[in-house]
């Protein structure tokens, strides 16, 4: 049947895309990534700074998702805590799969590879980066997929499951239409995007172990990361 995006859905896409593009990591953080010397300690410190800055960017983005601020306050926190890692894996995949002229992505990738993370997490992480890169998502698809990840109703401690589900379904409907209209030659494209969300959950589980192994090697996190990731 003829798929068409309504006026309201176009407004929704615009609001989310504007929010997604407005929030970038501050220049001084990304400049450091290019300039500082290489060592496991320095790489870990820089990535901690990037992650902390990314969480702040994520909070601002989430506040601009239409309907999010109308959710129960405690549910807003539960959704942010539950989705932060997945949203950051998605964001890092989107950034790393873009070949930047400054050689920025290579530097970033190098620092991740040499940040004291064990091999067993490296492989699935870089496979994920590759699988996201192969999708060649448009900006609005990336922004909507991040929004859908944040609005996942079955995160721990979410009380009004239905309210979150309704909001997520609104976004899923828009993304489905976008995929049909923007990838007409790939009828399974939408399903492939949703398959990435499943992969994100696996990475989320790996991440909990990554944090534990960094903790045991006496690595320090910032207060914001400790709060959002329940690290003591
Ligand atoms: C605490 C720290 C060592 C850490 O623990 N787990 C991860 C971690 C890791 Cl190691 C991978 C994926 C997710 C997380 Cl939380 C990290 C490093 O976190 C990040 C977070 C975001 C990242 C990166 C790398 C790239 N990005 C995206 C990015 C970088 C620069 C600019 C912008 C932008 O939007 O302008 C976006 C690392």
């Amino acid at each position: 049947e003829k798929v068409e995006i309504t006026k309201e859905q176009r407004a929704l896409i615009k609001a989310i895309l504007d929010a997604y593009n407005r929030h970038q990591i501050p220049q001084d953080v990304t400049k450091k990534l290019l300039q500082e010397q290489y060592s496991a300690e320095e790489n870990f410190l820089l990535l901690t700074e990037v992650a902390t800055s990314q969480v702040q960017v994520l909070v601002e983005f989430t506040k601009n998702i239409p309907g999010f601020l109308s959710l129960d306050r405690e549910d807003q926190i539960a959704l942010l805590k539950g989705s932060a890692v997945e949203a950051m894996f998605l964001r890092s995949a989107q950034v790393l799969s873009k070949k930047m002229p400054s050689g920025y992505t290579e530097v970033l990738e190098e620092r991740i590879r040499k940040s004291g993370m064990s091999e067993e997490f490296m492989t699935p992480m870089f496979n994920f980066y590759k699988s996201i890169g192969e999708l060649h998502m448009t900006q609005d698809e990336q922004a909507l997929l991040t929004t859908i990840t944040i609005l996942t109703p079955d995160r721990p401690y979410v009380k009004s499951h239905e309210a979150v589900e309704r909001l997520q379904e609104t976004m899923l409907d828009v993304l489905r239409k976008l995929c049909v209209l923007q990838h007409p030659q790939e009828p399974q494209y939408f399903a492939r995007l949703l398959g990435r969300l499943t992969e994100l959950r696996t990475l989320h589980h790996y991440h909990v172990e990554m944090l534990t192994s960094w903790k045991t090697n006496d690595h320090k996190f910032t207060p914001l990361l400790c709060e959002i990731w329940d690290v003591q």
Side-chain angles (χ1 to χ4, degrees):
E1 91 290 0
K2 177 100 182 59
V3 164
E4 71 178 53
I5 293 178
T6 66
K7 208 165 36 51
E8 294 77 17
Q9 288 177 323
R10 222 164 264 300
L12 198 58
I13 296 168
K14 187 177 177 337
I16 288 170
L17 187 57
D18 289 349
Y20 192 72
N21 286 327
R22 200 173 329 125
H23 301 297
Q24 301 284 341
I25 285 198
Q27 284 302 320
D28 64 313
V29 175
T30 49
K31 233 189 1 271
K32 267 197 211 167
L33 273 168
L34 285 167
Q35 278 161 359
E36 299 291 333
Q37 101 270 16
Y38 278 85
S39 73
E41 283 65 39
E42 186 55 47
N43 292 342
F44 181 83
L45 277 176
L46 280 172
L47 288 173
T48 301
E49 218 176 313
V50 166
T52 304
S53 164
Q54 189 76 44
V55 168
Q56 290 157 343
V57 160
L58 187 65
V59 171
E60 282 314 303
F61 168 67
T62 306
K63 282 158 61 177
N64 289 299
I65 296 173
F68 184 83
L69 292 178
S70 323
L71 292 171
D72 172 283
R73 209 117 191 84
E74 283 166 12
D75 283 355
Q76 293 177 26
I77 306 289
L79 291 177
L80 264 169
K81 282 172 68 99
S83 68
V85 168
E86 294 177 25
M88 293 209 289
F89 266 108
L90 208 44
R91 184 71 184 180
S92 57
Q94 286 151 2
V95 165
L96 288 171
S97 52
K98 272 188 311 195
K99 287 292 155 229
M100 312 265 230
S102 59
Y104 175 67
T105 30
E106 287 75 11
V107 163
L108 206 42
E109 180 167 331
E110 202 46 37
R111 291 196 187 274
I112 292 178
R113 286 190 186 284
K114 296 202 174 53
S115 58
M117 192 191 306
S118 78
E119 266 313 303
E120 66 178 301
F121 308 132
M122 210 75 84
T123 315
M125 184 193 293
F126 283 95
N127 288 343
F128 178 72
Y129 290 157
K130 194 163 158 290
S131 71
I132 288 288
E134 286 160 356
L135 286 167
H136 303 297
M137 278 192 266
T138 58
Q139 276 278 350
D140 45 17
E141 289 161 0
Q142 289 181 22
L144 274 166
L145 197 63
T146 304
T147 303
I148 288 161
T149 308
I150 294 164
L151 297 174
T152 299
D154 59 343
R155 298 291 187 198
Y157 314 112
V158 170
K159 297 170 298 189
S160 337
H161 192 277
E162 299 68 34
V164 179
E165 201 166 37
R166 252 194 319 277
L167 213 42
Q168 190 192 46
E169 267 155 19
T170 308
M171 308 298 172
L172 281 164
D173 190 41
V174 175
L175 182 59
R176 183 181 52 75
K177 289 185 177 179
L178 263 187
C179 289
V180 169
L181 293 172
Q182 298 186 148
H183 303 266
Q185 75 291 359
E186 275 188 271
Q188 290 314 318
Y189 187 80
F190 178 58
R192 285 175 66 198
L193 284 195
L194 299 189
R196 299 283 79 84
L197 297 185
T198 313
E199 217 175 326
L200 271 175
R201 292 213 178 206
T202 313
L203 287 167
H204 194 160
H205 295 303
Y206 279 129
H207 191 263
V208 175
E209 289 166 50
M210 271 160 71
L211 289 179
T212 314
S213 74
W214 272 322
K215 283 297 292 175
T216 37
N217 301 336
D218 204 23
H219 281 93
K220 295 271 176 292
F221 299 98
T222 58
L224 181 57
L225 292 180
C226 290
E227 194 185 330
I228 203 149
W229 288 341
D230 288 331
V231 171
Q232 60 289 341

